[in-house]
Amino acid sequence: MNASLLTTAARSAIGGFALTLLALGGMQLNAQAFSGHDSSAPVQFDAGDIDVEDRQDRVLLVGGVTVRQANLTVRSQRMLVDYSDAGDFSIARITATGGVNVQRRNENARGDVAVYDIERRLITMAGNVELRRGADRLSGGRLTIDLASGRASVDGRGASSGEGSTGRVTGTFTVSQRKSGDTEQ
């Protein structure tokens, strides 16, 4: 066999394997851009209005809200920040609603609602979620991003039953282009 035939066979085998994995259920995307996030970095807020509810240990941010922590940026229309003030002020959770967008490096996730559990280093998004890395895209009902491992999981759970929704995960992955010398036989 010549080298180009072996290359084509290897590509076909890898493509078939990938399609088999996708057909087996929840789609996984190794979200390396989200890995290694420093969840102990300071959190910066920017909003149209900020209300501190000291007795409830929470802060309500409304109106074009942007929250940044290290290289991670979360944007939405409304965020509720739960914190602990037991001797040492620390943010425990951020709940964002209304056109949520989470971005870090070349990855972008969006959805209707997001909960960033800072202690567990997990971001869970629900409702019309989409994860993009470059031209690659996954859509579904729920997205979980593990900031410690960098693993992102999209599944159909929580997908609305509205028009155009299938309750399933859909996506597009780009395929590297063949070099001009590669030919199929």
Side-chain angles (χ1 to χ4, degrees):
M1 277 195 205
N2 64 26
S4 70
L5 186 57
L6 284 174
T7 302
T8 302
R11 284 183 186 151
S12 296
I14 291 169
F17 180 71
L19 288 173
T20 301
L21 288 177
L22 293 176
L24 293 177
M27 192 180 303
Q28 301 286 324
L29 177 66
N30 186 12
Q32 294 175 356
F34 282 111
S35 69
H37 176 68
D38 181 6
S39 60
S40 65
V43 177
Q44 300 170 331
F45 300 94
D46 180 13
D49 189 35
I50 298 177
D51 291 322
V52 177
E53 300 173 359
D54 220 12
R55 289 186 182 189
Q56 291 82 22
D57 289 341
R58 65 185 182 192
V59 176
L60 177 63
L61 301 104
V62 181
V65 182
T66 300
V67 170
R68 287 186 178 87
Q69 184 183 42
N71 293 330
L72 182 73
T73 302
V74 181
R75 291 183 176 90
S76 72
Q77 288 304 308
R78 180 180 188 273
M79 288 189 205
L80 185 62
V81 179
D82 295 303
Y83 64 88
S84 171
D85 196 11
D88 185 22
F89 182 84
S90 64
I91 297 173
R93 178 176 324 161
I94 298 173
T95 304
T97 57
V100 182
N101 187 304
V102 177
Q103 186 171 1
R104 182 155 185 251
R105 296 186 185 127
N106 71 336
E107 287 197 351
N108 186 311
R110 67 175 179 82
D112 296 336
V113 177
V115 176
Y116 176 17
D117 186 329
I118 293 176
E119 294 172 3
R120 293 179 55 209
R121 301 182 69 191
L122 288 175
I123 297 175
T124 304
M125 300 181 78
N128 302 306
V129 299
E130 182 175 79
L131 176 62
R132 287 185 175 268
R133 181 179 352 158
D136 297 337
R137 178 191 59 79
L138 294 175
S139 299
R142 188 176 73 155
L143 164 65
T144 304
I145 302 169
D146 184 332
L147 295 170
S149 70
R151 184 177 197 111
S153 175
V154 178
D155 63 47
R157 288 183 284 176
S160 66
S161 57
E163 188 177 324
S165 174
T166 63
R168 299 183 51 85
V169 177
T170 60
T172 303
F173 294 106
T174 56
V175 177
S176 61
Q177 300 297 312
R178 290 187 207 159
K179 295 178 183 172
S180 61
D182 291 348
T183 59
E184 229 174 278
Q185 294 186 10

